[in-house]
């Protein structure tokens, strides 16, 4: 995308025009939360003002229209990730909720003592804790795929850890720390050869490049709305229909029933079976608006532009010999985790914030990976399609200023 296109996009995000601590804002915490553009805010506001009602309950006009928009949003999500059927899309409260749903339903039904669950050491806690706790309940065995020396997925270890005993493989599509995409299709092929089911955490993928769940042959794919321009409190679980049909619900109440007697109940068809209670109606419809917005720009254009930004940032930051960068140097996504010598990451983040640069510092909900890297925490700067080279130049200048303040050098 050229400068004019980026300027037009940035005009949709008035939050980017404000000053932080007297400085131009460089918002580089997109791996945590993406900002919401004005067109989506206006559409959500309009829904509240003209169409707000509950779904799947009322026969009145408002209820009918709300239900229509809610289900249209489900169709948009299905199309966005190329699901075969809109009924394979379950609205949840977040990516974390989606992953917990799979562990609490498919996992409870299918994992037994001594079965093996394979993760990668780079997993976010959301894609680690549900499996860790399931393994403890069931007496199953957790195995972790390690990293190579260049901090990418160790392919030899993939083939070593996935065995005939493997029942579930849980893996991130893109790391929230290492700035890399995993070879997801190849991992799924290996897992399917031994009959394992693959759960993919797509939280750091869906707003950055095209996702095709049928092409990758994922069994489950989870992501959150707030990492792709939508409101908080909405998430998605994609599952193959034959798997979802076999799973029992794990939350009860509302429109997820078919029939209820005093001592028993039967369940609604997909997807309502897994959407107990009043769902996050505005969140789901807002997610549909977000997909419209992303489609208008084009996911291939977004991926190409973010690749340009990522290369630009890598070229700049790797020249700073006092900065340790984590993850591979090549084919880097827009997520950059790093540390400055002898300066605590929280001090770095605070110093950058004083200069208007918003980044994240901490363990990023991936403590096992931090231990593997030999650090307690890192600073993380993460890009999106509304960032520009000026944001990156401001980050590099901010890092230099921070280094000089704490260590007296540049």
């Amino acid at each position: 995308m050229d400068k004019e296109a980026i300027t037009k996009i940035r005009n949709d995000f008035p939050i980017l025009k404000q000053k932080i601590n007297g400085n131009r804002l460089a918002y580089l915490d997109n791996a945590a939360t993406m900002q919401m553009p004005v067109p989506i805010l206006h559409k959500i506001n309009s829904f509240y003002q003209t169409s707000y009602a509950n779904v799947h309950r009322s026969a009145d006009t408002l209820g009918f229209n709300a239900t229509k928009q809610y289900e249209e949003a489900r169709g948009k999500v299905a199309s966005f990730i190329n699901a075969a059927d809109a009924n394979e899309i379950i609205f949840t409260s977040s990516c974390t909720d989606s992953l917990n749903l799979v562990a609490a339903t498919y996992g409870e039904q299918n994992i037994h003592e001594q079965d093996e669950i394979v993760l990668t050491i780079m997993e976010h806690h959301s894609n680690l804790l549900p499996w860790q706790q399931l393994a403890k309940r069931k007496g199953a065995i957790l195995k972790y795929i390690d990293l190579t020396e260049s901090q990418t997925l160790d392919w030899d270890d993939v083939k070593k850890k996935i065995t005939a005993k493997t029942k579930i493989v849980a893996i991130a599509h893109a790391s929230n720390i290492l700035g890399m995409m995993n070879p997801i299709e190849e991992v799924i092929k290996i897992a399917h050869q031994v009959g394992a089911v693959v759960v993919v955490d797509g939280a750091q993928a869906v707003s950055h490049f095209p996702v095709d769940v049928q092409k990758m042959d994922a069994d489950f794919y989870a992501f959150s709305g707030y990492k792709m321009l939508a409101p908080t409190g909405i998430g998605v679980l994609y599952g193959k229909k034959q798997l979802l049909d076999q799973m029992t619900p794990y939350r009860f109440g509302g429109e997820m029933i078919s029939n209820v007697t005093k001592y028993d109940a039967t369940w609604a068809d997909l997807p309502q079976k897994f959407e107990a209670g009043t769902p996050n109606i505005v969140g789901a419809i807002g997610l549909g608006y977000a997909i419209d917005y992303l489609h208008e720009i084009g996911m291939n254009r977004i991926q190409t532009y973010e690749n340009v930004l990522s290369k630009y940032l890598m070229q700049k930051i790797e020249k700073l010999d006092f900065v340790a960068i984590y993850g591979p140097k090549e084919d880097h996504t827009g997520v950059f985790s790093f540390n400055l010598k002898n300066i605590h990451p929280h001090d770095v983040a605070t110093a950058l914030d004083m200069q208007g640069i918003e980044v994240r510092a901490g363990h990023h909900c991936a403590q096992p990976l931090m231990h593997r890297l030999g650090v307690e925490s890192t600073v993380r700067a993460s890009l999106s399609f509304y960032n520009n080279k000026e944001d990156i130049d401001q980050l590099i200048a901010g890092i230099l200023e921070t280094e000089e303040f704490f260590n007296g050098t540049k």
Side-chain angles (χ1 to χ4, degrees):
M1 289 187 281
D2 59 23
K3 192 171 181 180
E4 185 180 351
I6 296 304
T7 300
K8 184 172 180 294
I9 287 171
R10 287 176 66 87
N11 285 337
D12 284 341
F13 296 85
I15 194 169
L16 301 177
K17 295 179 180 177
Q18 68 177 302
K19 288 187 180 298
I20 297 291
N21 295 316
N23 295 288
R24 172 188 182 275
L25 168 62
Y27 184 78
L28 297 170
D29 196 14
N30 295 288
T33 305
M34 282 184 69
Q35 299 297 334
M36 188 183 294
V38 166
I40 296 176
L41 284 166
H42 284 170
K43 287 182 178 179
I44 290 173
N45 189 42
S46 175
F47 177 80
Y48 270 121
Q49 291 181 340
T50 65
S51 306
Y52 189 53
N54 214 321
V55 297
H56 295 303
R57 285 160 173 78
S58 302
D60 56 54
T61 299
L62 283 180
F64 175 82
N65 287 337
T67 301
K68 183 171 179 289
Q69 291 189 57
Y70 181 79
E71 291 304 326
E72 283 175 351
R74 195 190 308 277
K76 290 176 187 177
V77 174
S79 175
F80 187 61
I81 61 172
N82 194 32
D85 188 329
N87 291 329
E88 295 177 320
I89 304 300
I90 312 296
F91 286 129
T92 64
S93 65
S94 63
C95 184
T96 300
D97 190 33
S98 299
L99 295 164
N100 273 274
L101 190 161
V102 181
T105 54
Y106 182 87
E108 284 289 340
Q109 291 173 243
N110 294 281
I111 294 298
H112 306 286
E113 191 172 356
Q114 296 301 307
D115 283 345
E116 294 180 355
I117 302 171
V118 176
L119 316 178
T120 80
I121 197 63
M122 72 181 75
E123 295 310 311
H124 188 284
H125 293 167
S126 295
N127 201 28
L128 188 158
L129 289 168
W131 310 114
Q132 179 192 78
Q133 296 304 305
L134 175 68
K136 288 175 74 171
R137 290 195 300 273
K138 294 288 189 170
I141 298 167
L142 275 187
K143 295 166 74 176
Y144 288 90
I145 299 168
D146 203 357
L147 305 176
T148 63
E149 287 186 5
S150 60
Q151 297 177 353
T152 59
L153 192 72
D154 186 333
W155 190 243
D156 289 336
D157 208 33
V158 170
K159 290 184 272 191
K160 182 179 169 187
K161 296 288 171 56
I162 298 176
T163 71
K165 293 182 178 178
T166 305
K167 301 302 177 191
I168 291 175
V169 176
I171 181 170
H173 198 167
S175 169
N176 73 319
I177 292 176
L178 297 174
M180 51 169 283
M181 288 170 60
N182 281 317
I184 208 75
E185 290 183 36
E186 289 82 355
V187 172
I188 290 173
K189 277 181 192 168
I190 295 280
H192 284 174
Q193 284 170 6
V194 298
V197 162
V198 182
V199 184
V200 183
D201 174 357
Q204 299 297 336
V206 287
S207 66
H208 301 289
F209 50 83
V211 168
D212 186 332
V213 292
Q214 290 192 80
K215 184 168 180 283
M216 72 176 72
D217 201 19
D219 299 293
F220 298 100
Y221 196 96
F223 56 97
S224 290
Y226 69 96
K227 294 182 192 291
M228 53 178 294
L229 313 174
T232 56
I234 185 69
V236 169
L237 173 65
Y238 157 82
K240 287 179 177 173
K241 188 171 182 299
Q242 65 269 29
L243 294 173
L244 294 174
D245 277 335
Q246 294 167 12
M247 291 157 50
T248 55
Y250 86 129
R251 287 182 178 148
F252 303 91
E255 296 299 305
M256 52 76 67
I257 57 92
S258 174
N259 186 56
V260 179
T261 65
K262 285 175 70 176
Y263 300 106
D264 206 356
T266 56
W267 316 126
D269 292 333
L270 293 173
Q272 276 73 33
K273 180 172 74 170
F274 294 107
E275 295 182 2
T278 293
N280 184 348
I281 300 163
V282 177
I285 291 171
L287 178 59
Y289 297 150
I291 289 171
D292 293 340
Y293 188 90
L294 291 169
H295 273 317
E296 281 183 25
I297 299 173
M299 291 307 299
N300 287 320
R301 286 179 75 206
I302 287 172
Q303 183 178 23
T304 300
Y305 177 68
E306 289 186 7
N307 284 343
V308 170
L309 284 186
S310 298
K311 285 179 183 173
Y312 183 73
L313 176 48
M314 182 60 84
Q315 286 168 3
K316 293 269 182 178
I317 199 168
E318 68 180 352
K319 290 178 182 172
L320 307 179
D321 59 7
F322 55 87
V323 176
I325 308 164
Y326 303 99
K329 299 289 175 64
E330 302 293 331
D331 299 322
H332 211 87
T333 69
V335 173
F336 287 76
S337 292
F338 58 93
N339 278 323
L340 274 61
K341 259 182 207 171
N342 303 321
I343 311 177
H344 194 282
H346 287 174
D347 290 334
V348 175
T350 301
L352 293 176
D353 176 61
M354 293 296 292
Q355 301 168 72
I357 304 156
E358 305 299 284
V359 295
R360 178 65 61 92
H363 54 64
H364 314 296
C365 299
Q367 287 184 310
L369 176 58
M370 290 289 123
H371 296 156
R372 173 64 178 80
L373 298 175
V375 296
E376 290 294 323
S377 56
T378 71
V379 183
R380 183 182 70 188
S382 48
L383 304 168
S384 183
F385 61 85
Y386 48 65
N387 288 119
N388 56 20
K389 289 185 176 178
E390 195 174 356
D391 292 328
I392 294 170
D393 291 341
Q394 190 173 341
L395 172 67
I396 298 300
I399 291 172
L400 287 166
E401 190 71 28
T402 302
E403 168 68 6
E404 183 179 32
F405 178 82
F406 282 94
N407 291 330
T409 57
K410 277 192 180 180

